Amino acid sequence: MSPFLLTRTLPEDATDAALRADVLHGLTRCPKTLPPKWFYDAHGSELFEEITRLPEYYPTRAEREILIDRAEEIARVSGARTLIELGSGSSDKTRHLLDALPGLHSYVPVDVSESALRGAAETLLAQRTELSVHALIADFTGGLALPGTPGPRLVAFLGGTIGNLLPAERAVFLRSVRSLLSPGDALLLGTDLVKDEKVLVAAYDDAAGVTAEFDRNVLRVVNRELGADFDPADFEHVALWDPEREWIEMRLRARSALTVKIPALDLVVPFEAGEEMRTEVSAKFREEGVRAELAGAGLRLDQWWTDSGERFALSLATAV
């Protein structure tokens, strides 16, 4: 059987500590916020998988189209012997790259979920008996120490997830990625593109209400983990396009004045009627903006690929 290693760089209690810190900080500020990473417990992950199949939600299909069409070109240009995937999850989309990289020696999936990493590795190793998999339980936004694997290395950050970071956070993240790259290594980055407002809003506020349930799931996570008494039905899902910042905001709007108790934090949180709590920012990009942000981190945009509808882009960048 192919080698499989699992390394934990995240302390066992790191998730609980991070949730406590995020909830305490986010719910005592004005306006209130909660980070989108807390959507993704087991139920939230199932809801997101359902979202990716909705007719309104184009990003997953658009990115998959590019990967299928361009995987061999990505493989040829990068020459990668190691593929490192940040926020790998189930590694589903990455299989198009894995199949196109015949000389690939190592795959390094990075995720906070041990169960997702083990499940993905089990599936991959059954199909690619020659592949070495070294999974990392880690938060890719907190700095990474990568295992020693052969180069060239291709770091993949797919799904448009970079759009969930605010501009200053993106700058820090891209600099941290740059610090991982040696000469000959590359970054493959997925970015959702600016487009018609109606298309964007529909993608985050579908007719079936799946995204609304996904949005409210963050309240269920806080209830379960911190003993809070949120009633998800008390909050309405809202998706808005900010044309100045060129991002979508998902929010939860209190239907009436209410108070939430969070015993684990000894915290009481009042909401006014109509008060909104931001749960996600999803920035949309233009090629020139991506090029500038990469350049600011010491990366040069070498390749730019879009899907047939020019809705989504994959870019390949190398260290300057």
Side-chain angles (χ1 to χ4, degrees):
M1 180 151 179
S2 302
F4 171 62
L5 293 172
L6 182 71
T7 300
R8 175 183 289 276
T9 64
L10 209 58
E12 291 281 357
D13 62 348
T15 300
D16 179 65
L19 176 63
R20 288 170 175 263
D22 285 345
V23 172
L24 182 61
H25 173 71
L27 297 188
T28 55
R29 58 175 294 183
C30 187
K32 297 180 177 69
T33 64
L34 285 174
K37 64 183 178 182
W38 302 117
F39 291 139
Y40 295 95
D41 62 352
H43 181 55
S45 296
E46 290 172 1
L47 286 170
F48 184 71
E49 286 301 313
E50 189 176 347
I51 287 169
T52 65
R53 297 189 291 268
L54 293 170
E56 297 97 331
Y57 194 80
Y58 61 86
T60 302
R61 290 188 296 275
E63 185 177 50
R64 185 179 292 116
E65 178 191 322
I66 306 170
L67 283 169
I68 292 171
D69 290 347
R70 300 292 185 173
E72 290 186 4
E73 186 177 354
I74 294 167
R76 176 177 54 78
V77 173
S78 69
R81 297 200 65 217
T82 294
L83 175 62
I84 300 158
E85 185 178 10
L86 307 180
S88 55
S90 64
S91 301
D92 279 340
K93 286 178 292 189
T94 322
R95 293 191 176 96
H96 299 298
L97 280 177
L98 293 168
D99 291 343
L101 289 162
L104 194 69
H105 176 277
S106 302
Y107 175 50
V108 183
V110 181
D111 204 277
V112 296
S113 170
E114 179 175 349
S115 61
L117 288 169
R118 287 189 179 278
E122 183 178 332
T123 303
L124 286 172
L125 291 173
Q127 299 168 347
R128 296 285 298 268
T129 56
E130 79 291 354
L131 190 64
S132 172
V133 178
H134 190 149
L136 296 181
I137 304 171
D139 181 350
F140 59 77
T141 64
L144 282 176
L146 294 176
T149 54
R153 297 181 300 176
L154 178 63
V155 178
F157 191 40
L158 304 175
T161 308
I162 193 167
N164 295 145
L165 304 177
L166 297 174
E169 295 169 334
R170 293 201 300 268
V172 171
F173 168 75
L174 289 171
R175 285 196 297 270
S176 73
V177 171
R178 168 64 184 85
S179 71
L180 301 175
L181 301 183
S182 300
D185 295 345
L187 166 66
L188 182 68
L189 181 66
T191 47
D192 196 7
L193 302 179
V194 175
K195 58 187 67 66
D196 181 79
E197 178 179 350
K198 291 181 181 178
V199 174
L200 286 166
V201 171
Y204 292 83
D205 192 11
D206 60 278
V210 182
T211 310
E213 280 306 296
F214 177 67
D215 197 4
R216 284 188 281 262
N217 194 58
V218 71
L219 305 180
R220 299 185 184 95
V221 170
V222 176
N223 284 352
R224 183 183 66 245
E225 300 299 327
L226 300 180
D229 61 355
F230 278 107
D231 183 346
D234 287 342
F235 291 84
E236 176 186 3
H237 166 69
V238 179
L240 298 170
W241 171 244
D242 185 327
E244 290 186 12
R245 296 185 176 95
E246 293 191 326
W247 69 40
I248 285 280
E249 285 195 15
M250 292 206 321
R251 303 175 185 174
L252 290 172
R253 178 186 293 154
R255 299 182 190 273
S256 60
L258 56 96
T259 301
V260 175
K261 299 181 182 65
I262 308 178
L265 300 177
D266 194 24
L267 185 65
V268 176
V269 184
F271 286 85
E272 297 178 4
E275 183 178 352
E276 294 178 345
M277 172 173 60
R278 189 177 74 194
T279 52
E280 181 174 282
V281 162
S282 185
K284 309 306 170 187
F285 297 87
R286 303 176 189 270
E287 181 178 356
E288 59 270 25
V290 174
R291 186 182 302 276
E293 291 196 34
L294 289 170
L299 295 161
R300 181 184 65 237
L301 194 156
D302 293 329
Q303 302 285 339
W304 177 266
W305 300 287
T306 64
D307 67 295
S308 56
E310 298 189 341
R311 300 166 296 177
F312 199 94
L314 285 182
S315 55
L316 194 72
T318 52
V320 180

